[in-house]
């Protein structure tokens, strides 16, 4: 239990107003005291424990309550009177399950869908002309993803129905199809298709009985578009874990935490790594003393920021420009990025560097494109439009000209769903970056003089990537 205390101390310190005391842990559980994010964590934990098969959406209803009661009974407590301690214990188990395999709810822009993936153990599956296939190391779970026509999507559901050896579970709505069946091999096959901007996004998840809990967590986490993260957050559950862990450290490890009683000390555990980040973005070094630039929305709401394992301190932020200045003392030896002395010209080549979908893709990612407009939406003078592909996680990364000089900061991409709903079409590679002149202005307003150089000859793409790797960093938000 000491592991959880160490991991959660930072979260606990910033939320003293919403905390469970030792006395309150014995009170009857009331979900209304928790935030939606805390309730999502509980629902995920109950799903992993294979007692909950429903949406992980933070809406706490009868199904969620009955699952908590069942979890409590299975762990030696009383299902008739579920306490705050029982809920905190379930949250502890949820955190352990999520942290062990790096589970994150990620937004996949190609599908315009969000769902849980185990980022630490997700590997490529068998190649396919139709699907992108992934498997989970150490588990029987497989993912298959595609976007196709309605006719093709229906065929995937028909295939699932044909595998069923008992009555299948089905949902048929104008924009949503779900088919879940158990096959003769004892595998559960779950197929879901959502009508999104580019067509029907289909996700097929399979798993054996031994992974029924993880399968329930994945299917319960699926949501169209962008969905909130699932993980630990500042609040009553985080502080309750600290209190409960201290009480359990003084007892002889009973299964139910409903009424902790002092007793023998449990064996000490080795320190655990920090929890998987609840969100990530990109930043780049702008001074020799370790100052970094990123987006304001990357650091918004974070209780702790880290870069390469070093704690980052927020020096300044601007919501209008969507920029933030960080200080990372551990990066003071790295060479800073160089800004171009003049604006990027229309149709000039640009390179985007960053860490998109870091849990899924891993490592530095480089894409190339051009400046397609020197202004943003509606003539906005803060942003410019670029065609270089970007994904969630690219936010805050540098946009470089052919010489490797910074001419912008990645900030957003046009929503496919919004474009389809508003204009009836899905434009390709419509992405936005904060203009380099705005970034330099923001730095100057906050006492930072960036390195600026005159226009230079283009360098080889491989050389540009190597230089960019020296000053571009993954920003992790907890």
């Amino acid at each position: 239990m000491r592991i959880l205390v160490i991991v959660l101390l930072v979260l606990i310190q910033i939320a003293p107003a919403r905390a469970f005391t030792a006395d309150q842990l014995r009170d009857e559980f009331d979900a209304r005291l928790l935030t939606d994010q805390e309730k999502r964590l509980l629902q995920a934990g109950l799903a992993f424990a294979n007692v909950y098969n429903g949406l992980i959406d933070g809406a706490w209803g009868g199904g969620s309550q009955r699952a908590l009661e069942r979890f409590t009974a299975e762990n030696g407590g009383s299902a008739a009177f579920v306490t705050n301690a029982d809920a905190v214990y379930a949250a502890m188990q949820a955190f352990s399950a999520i942290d062990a395999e790096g589970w994150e709810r990620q937004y996949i822009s190609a599908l315009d869908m969000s769902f849980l993936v185990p980022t630490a153990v997700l590997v490529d599956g068998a190649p396919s002309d139709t699907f992108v296939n992934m498997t989970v190391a150490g588990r029987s779970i497989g993912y298959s993803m595609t976007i196709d026509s309605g006719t093709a999507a229906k065929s995937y559901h028909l295939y699932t129905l044909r595998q069923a050896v008992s009555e299948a579970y089905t949902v048929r709505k104008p924009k949503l199809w779900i088919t879940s069946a158990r096959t003769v091999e004892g595998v559960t096959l779950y197929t879901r298709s959502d009508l999104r901007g580019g067509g029907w996004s289909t996700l097929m998840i399979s798993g054996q009985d031994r992974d029924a809990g993880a399968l329930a967590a994945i299917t319960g986490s699926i949501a169209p578009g962008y969905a909130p993260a699932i993980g630990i957050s500042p609040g009553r559950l985080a502080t309750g874990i600290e209190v409960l862990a201290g009480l359990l450290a003084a007892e002889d490890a009973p299964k139910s935490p409903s009424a902790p009683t002092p007793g023998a000390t449990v064996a000490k555990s080795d320190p655990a790594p920090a929890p998987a980040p609840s969100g990530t973005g990109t930043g780049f070094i702008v001074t020799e003393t370790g100052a970094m630039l990123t987006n304001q929305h990357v650091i918004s709401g974070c209780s702790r920021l880290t870069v390469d394992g070093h704690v980052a301190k927020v020096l300044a932020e601007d919501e209008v420009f969507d920029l933030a200045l960080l200080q990372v003392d551990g990066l003071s030896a790295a060479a800073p990025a160089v800004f171009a002395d003049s604006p990027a010209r229309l149709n000039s080549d640009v390179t985007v560097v960053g860490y998109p979908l870091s849990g899924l893709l891993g490592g530095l990612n480089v894409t190339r494109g051009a400046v397609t407009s020197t202004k943003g939406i509606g003539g906005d003078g803060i942003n410019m439009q670029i065609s270089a592909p970007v994904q969630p996680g690219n936010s805050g990364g540098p946009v470089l000209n052919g010489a490797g000089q910074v001419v912008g900061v990645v900030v957003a991409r046009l929503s496919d769903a919004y474009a389809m709903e508003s204009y009836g079409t899905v434009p390709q590679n419509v992405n936005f970056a904060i203009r380099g002149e705005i970034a330099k202005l923001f730095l100057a307003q906050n006492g930072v003089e960036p390195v600026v150089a005159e226009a230079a000859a283009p360098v080889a793409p491989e050389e540009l990537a190597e230089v960019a790797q020296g000053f571009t960093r993954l920003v992790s938000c907890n």
Side-chain angles (χ1 to χ4, degrees):
M1 297 307 168
R2 187 186 63 169
I3 295 174
L4 289 166
V5 179
I6 295 171
V7 169
L8 294 168
L9 276 178
V10 173
L11 292 174
I12 292 165
Q13 289 170 356
I14 69 169
R18 294 188 291 115
F20 278 132
T21 65
D23 290 339
Q24 289 173 330
L25 287 179
R26 294 174 172 83
D27 293 343
E28 185 173 6
F29 172 69
D30 185 351
R32 292 174 298 180
L33 298 176
L34 304 182
T35 66
D36 287 348
Q37 185 168 349
E38 290 176 308
K39 286 181 278 190
R40 287 194 297 270
L41 175 67
L42 272 182
Q43 289 171 331
L46 296 171
F48 277 113
N50 200 24
V51 295
Y52 178 67
N53 192 358
L55 295 177
I56 301 175
D57 57 1
W60 194 268
S64 300
Q65 185 65 27
R66 288 190 293 273
L68 181 58
E69 292 168 357
R70 181 180 172 188
F71 175 86
T72 302
E74 290 183 358
N75 285 274
S78 170
F81 186 80
V82 179
T83 67
N84 290 326
D86 295 313
V88 170
Y89 187 67
M92 294 169 76
Q93 302 307 306
F95 176 79
S96 296
I98 289 172
D99 183 60
E101 295 175 309
W103 289 92
E104 295 178 5
R105 177 148 67 177
Q106 294 193 340
Y107 171 68
I108 308 302
S109 61
L111 300 176
D112 194 24
M113 301 285 290
S114 300
F115 48 88
L116 276 170
V117 292
T119 60
V121 290
L122 193 66
V123 297
D124 290 335
S128 167
D129 293 335
T130 304
F131 290 92
V132 173
N133 298 313
M134 308 292 289
T135 61
V136 180
R139 289 189 181 270
S140 62
I141 293 174
Y143 294 77
S144 295
M145 299 163 275
T146 190
I147 185 164
D148 219 322
S149 66
T151 300
K154 289 181 180 179
S155 71
Y156 307 143
H157 289 268
L158 181 59
Y159 169 82
T160 304
L161 283 172
R162 288 173 175 169
Q163 308 306 307
V165 294
S166 57
E167 185 176 358
Y169 169 79
T170 62
V171 173
R172 298 292 185 265
K173 296 181 179 180
K175 296 184 178 181
L176 171 66
W177 279 44
I178 297 175
T179 306
S180 182
R182 185 172 175 79
T183 72
V184 68
E185 293 86 6
V187 173
T188 295
L189 178 59
Y190 178 95
T191 302
R192 171 169 172 156
S193 299
D194 289 72
L195 180 60
R196 307 308 296 157
W200 283 86
S201 294
T202 296
L203 182 62
M204 302 179 76
I205 310 293
S206 61
Q208 298 175 0
D209 288 348
R210 62 186 174 90
D211 289 316
L215 192 67
I218 297 168
T219 58
S221 72
I222 302 172
Y226 175 82
I230 297 172
I232 195 69
S233 63
R236 287 186 171 86
L237 288 182
T239 54
I241 287 174
E242 181 195 26
V243 175
L244 183 59
L247 294 171
L248 290 177
E251 64 175 34
D252 193 15
K255 283 192 173 182
S256 172
S258 295
T261 305
T265 302
V266 299
K268 293 184 177 180
S269 303
D270 293 331
S278 58
T280 60
T282 303
F284 58 100
I285 301 168
V286 293
T287 71
E288 294 180 349
T289 57
M292 284 189 62
L293 190 63
T294 188
N295 287 146
Q296 192 272 341
H297 75 256
V298 168
I299 60 96
S300 178
C302 301
S303 62
R304 184 172 186 264
L305 289 165
T306 57
V307 177
D308 289 355
H310 304 289
V311 175
K313 178 183 177 183
V314 179
L315 298 180
E317 53 185 304
D318 190 307
E319 190 172 349
V320 175
F321 289 163
D322 198 356
L323 290 171
L325 181 64
L326 311 179
Q327 176 62 41
V328 188
D329 292 338
L331 301 181
S332 58
V338 176
F339 283 76
D341 68 343
S342 58
R345 298 178 63 185
L346 186 65
N347 202 34
S348 60
D349 293 335
V350 291
T351 297
V352 166
V353 186
Y355 293 87
L357 303 173
S358 61
L360 185 62
L361 301 180
L364 191 71
N365 188 273
V366 179
T367 60
R368 300 166 67 185
V371 177
T372 54
S373 175
T374 56
K375 293 186 178 181
I377 293 178
D380 168 30
I382 295 176
N383 298 318
M384 63 182 181
Q385 184 178 316
I386 60 175
S387 63
V390 302
Q391 305 291 343
N394 270 123
S395 292
V399 179
L400 308 175
N401 63 16
Q405 299 167 339
V406 177
V407 292
V409 182
V410 176
V411 69
R413 65 186 297 272
L414 184 64
S415 167
D416 293 345
Y418 170 81
M420 175 59 74
E421 182 178 348
S422 302
Y423 304 106
T425 186
V426 180
Q428 300 296 308
N429 291 336
V430 180
N431 306 309
F432 299 95
I434 301 161
R435 294 166 57 88
E437 291 66 48
I438 300 296
K440 287 186 286 187
L441 173 62
F442 169 77
L443 291 174
Q445 289 174 338
N446 292 285
V448 173
E449 184 176 349
V451 181
V452 179
E454 295 181 353
V459 298
E462 298 85 355
E463 182 181 342
L464 187 152
E466 290 178 0
V467 172
Q469 190 169 20
F471 54 71
T472 309
R473 296 290 189 272
L474 175 70
V475 179
S476 299
C477 164
N478 293 105

